[in-house]
């Protein structure tokens, strides 16, 4: 198991570097010059001399291959470079954003699991009955609601109409814990609307298929308590595919929660990446994509390891 | 009064119920969204990409930098030039003498001296500088420090726009001692904390040179990139002032008894042409296009009626040379335009209009123009790339004609040089356009000190623009600030100064 884990980790690292290299070269195919973009914020023309000076300052006048080697060299020493926009190191900027995004994703996942798995189990055990139909119908509605619609409606109702919460934003935990929690809970709930429905559908389907297995009948026949059968025989066997789906969803949220971040003005990693792309801030884009790719791969690795814990057969 | 945006029914009952259970528990404690009167909260349209004292870094950059840095001159609530670090000044053709305030100190406690002024201006003009005004300030030939509080600046030619340039956020005076690595200014506030991408906290600078200012002890600038959320934050009481009120929300804010809208005219919209390619290498075609568009429809469709048609030189509404001769050059005349297109052989030709899908005002403007030009006999297709790509296409001349937002940097007609004068290719200019007669007049206007003679020069320029159409003016759009009731002392500035309104935040009081 250890060698398997190490092998997977090495592959993960190589994958992340390949993704970053791909992004590196793709950026040069996208029209738009970083120096011009940086100096012409707000759609006003920068003087040509200033653009030239900045191009040299940023090292963009060097051959692409030299820039690429520079980038790889930086990677080896753990240096992601400096942002074109403000000269801060890319790593320090990501380090500020990443925990916020991870917190948001963790909270959204926790809510979705807490709602989706029990609901899925309940529906599967009562297939075709009213509860099942009601839950399945609700889940379909939830899945078809775009997150920006849910988010906008939440801001409108809870912030503008009822005045219970601020209209989005972010406050560090240390500064005001209650406000911090409210501000991260709003986008987390918006994400969970669709996410919990996915978890529900997956749980329902896998539990339903496990229920038809012979050993479930055997377990019941030998007189095990129903609660024990559900927890140890049904749920544990059904959770594998759910873990896979949750892992993929979480990975997708790393760079894909941009809409919800916009609606709630939540300063996470996705919005940061979009801004970097708009500004053609190459080091920032590369660094962020690299980190997201790495985390995505890591998440999948964790899911695989979790699989092993859930299902001893995979370990061999 | 508020309009309904999205009905509450569109939320799944389950989430609503869950949220209703969870949120009151957290919000009930009260202070969570209570308003703190000692703090002025300003809703930025973006988190500033950087705080380089000399670079152009967008509206949000100005808002922040004007609090921590100040230059020799500034603008008051009416947009007039007033002394900042300079208490008074004398001008004599090409020579300016500035007398610095005796009590002006930098945030590090040092006095502001003539040496700091000289050093700061040198940094902007230096070889390899990325300062926004690097080119503009090349007109300076010498900065002479007469004594600690007196500086003489000599120019190579009379330049009526010179003082206006100094009264922008682009020419701050910094401590020479502190240097550029960690620049120190003399503004009304200093930054006490920043939360990257979120907010910047300010505290009044005790030794600020204006007695009794800033009026509010603390300030917090919070970035709301989404324009609708910025409005929602104002309505919910999260902020006291917001900039860039989206046009679709202006009526709503006007109707809300708890809010005030300060609306002024801002930048302009124009059409640029690639004059190196047919059909727009022909001035007759450019003129026909410019007369075929009913500008009122652009104002209504792209700006929700917030603005006015622009039929002359793209200058500020209150420009010293804005008169009938410079402001009425084109008008809507569909029959004349169709006939002119026919005469020039352009009728039926396929042309592509470049705009951008990033900004709805650019896209909507292009849609209106497309309809009118189809009626006039041109076959127009739209090219709507993302903004960065659109700028690159503009700079490289990969377009036939293009929608552009345009404004002068300061309220001075010399700003036209950047739009219609010859120069390096730029998306702000019609590609390949060059007119020697126009260049000569623009140069004359730049250095003419006598107001009447100067106005006459721009009248002549207007005549050439009407004939040769280096660009086609479209509309004047408005710019809005939203304020909560009880916010006093803020004045949105007009035209090109609109983006510098943050000069006045030091005078804002909350009740």
């Amino acid at each position: 198991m250890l060698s398997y884990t190490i092998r997977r980790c090495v592959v993960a690292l190589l994958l992340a570097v390949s993704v970053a290299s791909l992004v590196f070269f793709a950026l040069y195919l996208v029209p738009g010059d970083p120096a011009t973009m940086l100096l012409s914020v707000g759609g006003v023309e920068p003087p040509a001399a200033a653009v030239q000076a900045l191009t040299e300052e940023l090292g963009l006048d060097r051959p692409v291959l030299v820039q690429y080697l520079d980038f790889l060299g930086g990677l080896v020493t753990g240096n992601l470079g400096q942002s074109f926009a403000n000269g801060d190191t890319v790593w320090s900027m990501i380090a500020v954003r990443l925990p916020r995004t991870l917190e948001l994703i963790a909270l959204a996942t926790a809510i979705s699991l807490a709602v989706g798995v029990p609901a899925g189990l309940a529906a599967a055990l009562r297939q075709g009955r009213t509860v099942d139909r009601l839950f399945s119908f609700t889940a379909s509605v939830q899945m078809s609601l775009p997150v920006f619609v849910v988010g906008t409606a939440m801001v409108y109702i809870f912030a503008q109409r009822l005045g219970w919460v601020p209209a989005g934003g972010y406050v560090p935990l240390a500064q005001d814990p209650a406000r911090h929690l409210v501000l991260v809970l709003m986008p987390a709930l918006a994400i969970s609307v669709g996410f919990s429905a996915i978890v529900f559908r997956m749980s329902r389907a896998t539990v339903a298929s496990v229920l038809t297995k012979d050993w479930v009948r055997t377990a019941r026949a030998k007189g095990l308590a129903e609660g024990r059968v559900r927890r140890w025989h049904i749920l544990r066997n059904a959770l594998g595919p759910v873990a896979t789906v949750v892992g993929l969803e979480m990975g997708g949220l790393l760079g894909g929660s941009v809409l919800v971040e916009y609606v709630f003005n939540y300063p996470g990693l996705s919005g940061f990446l979009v801004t970097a792309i708009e500004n053609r801030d190459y080091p920032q884009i590369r660094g962020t994509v690299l980190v997201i790719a790495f985390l995505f791969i890591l998440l999948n690795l964790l899911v695989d390891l979790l699989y092993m814990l859930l299902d001893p057969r995979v370990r061999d | 009064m508020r309009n309904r945006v999205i009905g509450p029914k569109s939320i799944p009952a389950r989430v609503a119920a869950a949220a209703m259970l969870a949120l009151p528990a957290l919000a009930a404690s009260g202070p969570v969204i209570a308003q703190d009167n000692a703090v002025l909260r300003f809703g930025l349209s973006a988190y500033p990409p950087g705080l380089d004292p000399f670079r152009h870094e967008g509206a949000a950059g100005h808002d922040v930098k004007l609090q921590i840095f100040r230059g020799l001159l500034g603008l008051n609530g009416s947009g007039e030039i007033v002394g900042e670090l300079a208490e008074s000044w004398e001008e004599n053709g090409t020579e300016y003498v500035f007398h610095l305030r005796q009590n002006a100190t930098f945030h590090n406690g040092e006095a502001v001296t003539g040496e700091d002024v000289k050093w700061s201006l040198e940094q902007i003009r230096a070889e390899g500088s990325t300062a926004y005004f690097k080119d503009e300030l090349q007109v300076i030939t010498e900065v002479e420090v007469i004594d600690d509080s007196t500086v003489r600046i000599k120019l190579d030619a009379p330049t009526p726009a010179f003082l206006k340039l100094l009264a922008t956020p682009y020419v701050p005076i910094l401590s020479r001692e502190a240097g550029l690595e960690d620049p120190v200014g003399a503004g009304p506030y200093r930054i006490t904390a920043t939360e990257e991408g979120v907010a910047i906290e300010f505290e009044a600078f005790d030794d600020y040179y204006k007695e009794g200012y800033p009026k509010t002890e603390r300030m917090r600038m919070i970035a709301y990139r989404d324009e609708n959320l910025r409005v929602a934050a104002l309505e919910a009481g999260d902020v006291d002032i917001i900039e860039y009120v989206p046009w679709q929300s202006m009526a709503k804010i006007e109707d809300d008894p708890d809010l005030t809208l300060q609306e002024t005219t801002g930048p302009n919209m124009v059409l640029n042409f690639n004059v190196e390619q047919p059909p727009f290498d022909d001035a007759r075609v450019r003129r026909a296009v410019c007369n075929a568009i009913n500008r009122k429809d652009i104002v209504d469709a792209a700006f929700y009626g917030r603005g006015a048609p622009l039929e002359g030189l793209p200058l500020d509404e209150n420009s010293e040379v804005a008169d009938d001769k410079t402001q009425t050059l084109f008008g809507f005349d569909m029959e004349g335009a169709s006939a002119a297109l026919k005469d020039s052989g352009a009728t039926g030709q396929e042309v592509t209009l470049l705009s951008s899908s990033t900004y709805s005002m650019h896209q909507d403007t292009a849609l209106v123009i497309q309809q009118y030009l189809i009626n006039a006999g041109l076959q127009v297709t739209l090219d709507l790339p993302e903004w960065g790509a659109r700028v690159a296409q503009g700079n490289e001349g990969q377009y036939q004609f293009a929608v552009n937002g345009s404004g002068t940097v300061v309220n001075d007609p010399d700003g036209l040089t950047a739009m219609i004068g010859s120069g390096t290719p730029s998306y702000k200019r019609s590609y390949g356009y060059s007119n020697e007669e126009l260049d000569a007049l623009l140069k004359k206007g730049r250095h003419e000190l006598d107001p009447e003679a100067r106005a006459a020069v721009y009248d002549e320029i207007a005549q050439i623009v009407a004939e040769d159409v280096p660009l086609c003016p479209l509309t004047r759009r408005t710019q809005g600030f939203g304020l909560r009731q009880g916010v006093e002392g803020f004045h949105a500035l007009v035209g090109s100064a609109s983006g510098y309104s943050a000069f006045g935040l030091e005078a804002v009081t909350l009740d």
Side-chain angles (χ1 to χ4, degrees):
Chain A
M1 180 167 170
L2 192 64
S3 79
Y4 172 79
T5 312
I6 293 172
R7 218 167 49 231
R8 287 295 310 261
C9 286
V10 172
V11 171
L13 262 175
L14 286 176
L15 254 175
V17 173
S18 320
V19 170
S21 302
L22 210 68
V23 171
F24 183 94
F25 290 108
L27 282 177
Y28 287 89
L29 300 177
V30 180
D33 168 52
T36 312
M37 293 303 294
L38 199 58
L39 292 173
S40 62
V41 192
V44 187
E45 174 205 7
V51 173
Q52 182 57 35
L54 188 62
T55 305
E56 283 166 24
E57 190 186 312
L58 298 175
L60 288 166
D61 53 338
R62 299 173 302 161
V64 175
L65 213 58
V66 174
Q67 293 182 46
Y68 178 63
L69 290 176
D70 204 33
F71 164 65
L72 284 186
L75 277 191
V76 173
T77 55
N79 178 8
L80 293 176
Q82 288 172 319
S83 158
F84 285 170
N86 54 15
D88 288 353
T89 62
V90 169
W91 179 243
S92 72
M93 295 176 78
I94 293 175
V96 169
R97 299 267 176 160
L98 186 61
R100 300 177 190 155
T101 293
L102 292 181
E103 185 186 358
L104 175 62
I105 295 175
L107 191 60
T109 309
I111 296 171
S112 305
L113 284 175
V115 174
V117 172
L121 185 64
L125 290 171
R126 295 170 186 76
Q127 279 174 63
R129 308 242 292 272
T130 318
V131 174
D132 180 27
R133 292 214 182 120
L134 186 71
F135 280 10
S136 298
F137 174 73
T138 314
S140 308
V141 174
Q142 283 175 234
M143 282 172 88
S144 52
L145 277 173
V147 72
F148 55 88
V149 171
V150 176
T152 311
M154 283 173 70
V155 169
Y156 177 68
I157 296 169
F158 298 118
Q160 285 175 273
R161 277 276 139 151
L162 302 173
W164 288 352
V165 296
Y170 176 83
V171 172
L173 183 66
Q175 193 181 320
D176 187 343
R179 197 179 165 107
H180 172 85
L181 203 58
V182 174
L183 285 171
V184 70
L185 194 63
M186 291 279 284
L189 279 172
I191 293 173
S192 328
V193 170
F195 195 177
S196 62
I198 293 171
V199 173
F200 163 80
R201 292 270 279 252
M202 203 67 207
S203 311
R204 186 188 171 281
T206 51
V207 169
S209 93
V210 170
L211 274 176
T212 62
K213 295 283 190 276
D214 293 344
W215 37 264
V216 173
R217 196 187 51 197
T218 310
R220 281 184 177 145
K222 73 178 179 185
L224 279 183
E226 183 61 20
R228 198 176 161 80
V229 175
R230 284 182 193 173
R231 268 197 308 279
W232 287 103
H233 295 261
I234 301 175
L235 205 53
R236 186 163 171 177
N237 278 295
L239 279 183
V242 176
T244 307
V245 167
V246 168
L248 283 173
E249 273 292 311
M250 288 174 79
L253 284 174
L254 277 172
S257 52
V258 60
L259 289 174
V260 88
E261 286 186 11
Y262 253 82
V263 172
F264 290 101
N265 204 32
Y266 192 82
L269 209 55
S270 307
F272 179 70
L273 178 59
V274 172
T275 311
I277 293 170
E278 280 171 0
N279 294 337
R280 305 289 190 271
D281 195 335
Y282 294 169
Q284 230 177 73
I285 302 173
R286 279 176 221 142
T288 314
V289 170
L290 189 75
V291 168
I292 289 175
F294 186 75
L295 285 174
F296 196 107
I297 294 163
L298 190 74
L299 258 171
N300 278 293
L301 188 66
L302 286 177
V303 168
D304 284 356
L305 296 177
L306 188 67
Y307 238 103
M308 283 195 252
L309 288 178
L310 286 172
D311 189 346
R313 283 168 300 183
V314 184
R315 285 177 218 166
D316 307 319
Chain B
M1 295 298 291
R2 290 164 184 167
N3 296 327
R4 289 167 69 90
V5 180
I6 289 167
K9 277 178 201 146
S10 59
I11 263 200
R14 193 154 131 200
V15 173
M20 278 174 189
L21 285 175
L23 295 176
L26 293 162
S29 52
V32 174
I33 53 166
Q35 193 176 327
D36 183 349
N37 280 345
V39 185
L40 171 62
R41 299 156 308 163
F42 187 93
L44 296 170
S45 54
Y47 191 85
L51 291 178
D52 185 295
F54 302 131
R55 268 192 210 164
H56 177 86
E57 290 170 314
H62 291 328
D63 296 333
V64 176
K65 287 185 235 177
L66 279 175
Q67 311 315 314
I68 53 176
F69 307 128
R70 283 294 161 98
L72 291 170
L73 305 176
L75 299 170
N76 68 11
S78 320
E80 295 154 351
I81 293 177
V82 291
E84 288 291 332
L85 292 172
E87 193 163 38
S88 61
W89 61 94
E90 294 120 38
E91 48 181 298
N92 174 19
T94 57
E95 243 185 60
Y96 293 79
V97 177
F98 292 93
H99 303 282
L100 305 183
R101 292 182 197 250
Q102 297 294 339
N103 63 344
T105 47
F106 289 115
H107 291 176
N108 59 8
E110 272 177 65
V112 178
T113 67
E115 287 295 341
D116 297 306
V117 175
K118 183 179 162 125
W119 179 81
S120 300
L121 293 174
E122 274 169 1
Q123 302 316 303
I124 296 176
R125 296 154 59 231
E127 186 77 22
S129 142
T130 56
Y132 189 64
F133 272 1
K134 185 187 176 199
D135 287 357
E136 275 77 0
L137 294 195
Q138 294 307 323
V139 68
I140 297 177
T141 52
E142 195 192 344
V143 182
E144 185 191 340
V145 180
I146 298 175
D147 60 46
D148 265 1
S149 58
T150 319
V151 181
R152 180 184 291 128
I153 299 176
K154 288 184 185 162
L155 309 184
D156 64 6
T159 307
F162 184 63
L163 291 179
K164 298 176 186 174
L165 295 175
L166 294 187
T168 63
Y170 300 112
V171 198
I173 302 305
L174 307 173
S175 156
R176 180 184 165 201
E177 186 75 25
L180 279 183
E181 197 57 42
D182 220 347
V184 173
Y189 286 95
R190 44 178 170 195
I191 294 177
T192 53
T194 55
E195 182 72 19
E196 159 67 27
V198 183
I200 300 176
E201 309 268 357
F202 300 85
E203 190 183 67
F205 173 47
D206 289 338
D207 293 326
Y208 185 49
Y209 50 82
K210 285 183 211 165
E211 194 64 44
Y213 289 87
K215 297 278 190 192
T216 309
E217 184 61 25
R218 291 198 295 140
M219 179 160 61
R220 181 176 164 81
M221 288 187 166
I222 310 153
Y224 294 91
R225 284 199 64 187
D226 184 278
E227 55 187 24
N228 296 314
L229 193 66
R230 202 154 61 239
V231 173
L234 182 72
E235 288 179 337
D238 296 348
V239 287
D240 302 303
I241 305 179
I242 59 168
E243 61 176 357
Y244 287 99
V245 173
W247 294 286
Q248 69 269 23
S249 305
M250 284 185 172
K252 190 167 72 159
I253 289 181
E254 276 177 333
D255 292 345
D256 191 326
D258 295 330
L259 306 175
T260 312
L261 178 74
Q262 287 196 10
E263 187 184 13
T264 60
T265 51
N268 310 305
M269 300 298 286
V270 300
L271 272 180
N272 285 122
F273 304 95
N274 183 344
V275 302
E276 291 194 344
Q277 286 176 16
F280 298 117
D281 55 346
D282 186 340
R284 289 176 302 171
V285 180
R286 300 198 292 267
R287 205 174 324 123
V289 162
C290 211
N291 286 324
I293 303 161
N294 186 351
R295 291 161 173 78
K296 178 80 175 53
D297 281 355
I298 299 179
V299 175
D300 289 343
F303 300 100
Y304 296 80
R306 301 282 170 167
L310 176 67
E311 299 177 329
L313 298 181
L315 298 166
D316 280 7
E317 192 179 34
N318 58 351
S319 163
E320 62 247 47
V321 302
D323 55 27
D324 280 353
K325 283 184 188 156
T326 60
Q327 293 303 295
T328 49
L329 308 179
F330 304 97
F332 178 47
D333 171 18
M334 183 55 88
E335 273 176 39
S338 306
L341 282 177
K342 217 167 260 162
D343 288 347
S344 58
T347 303
Q349 283 205 29
E350 286 182 18
V351 287
T352 305
L353 175 58
L354 176 67
S355 189
S356 174
S357 57
T358 303
Y359 300 111
S360 61
M361 57 179 175
H362 280 252
Q363 182 168 326
D364 295 344
T365 300
L367 282 167
V368 174
I369 293 170
Q370 181 187 34
Q371 285 313 313
Y372 275 104
L373 295 187
I374 287 173
N375 286 347
L378 284 174
Q379 295 203 27
V380 185
T381 47
L382 298 182
D383 183 13
L384 301 168
E386 163 267 3
W387 183 249
R390 184 250 172 274
V391 169
Q393 276 176 263
N395 286 336
E396 288 155 23
Q398 292 169 5
Y399 67 97
Q400 285 187 292
F401 65 141
V403 172
N404 225 333
S406 174
T408 51
V409 182
V410 292
N411 179 9
D412 190 89
D414 185 36
L416 291 172
T417 307
M419 298 180 221
I420 56 177
S422 309
T424 45
S426 150
Y427 79 100
K428 299 298 283 184
R429 248 186 226 128
S430 284
Y431 192 80
Y433 186 81
S434 174
N435 181 327
E436 277 178 27
E437 202 185 347
L438 206 48
D439 286 343
L441 282 168
L442 286 167
K443 195 167 175 199
K444 200 170 155 195
R446 166 175 284 184
H447 299 300
E448 179 58 64
L449 283 178
D450 176 54
E452 267 179 45
R454 199 169 189 227
V457 170
Y458 287 97
D459 288 348
E460 256 185 275
I461 288 174
Q463 281 319 302
I464 298 179
V465 170
E467 273 304 305
D468 208 34
V469 200
L471 57 72
C472 169
L474 295 172
T475 63
R476 222 185 263 295
R477 64 198 209 209
T478 69
Q479 215 80 293
F481 287 85
L483 280 69
R484 280 195 73 72
Q485 197 97 62
V487 177
E488 300 288 340
F490 182 79
H491 302 281
L493 301 180
V494 178
S496 50
S498 167
Y500 313 148
S501 298
F503 263 120
L505 287 179
E506 62 183 32
V508 172
T509 57
L510 304 168
D511 90 301

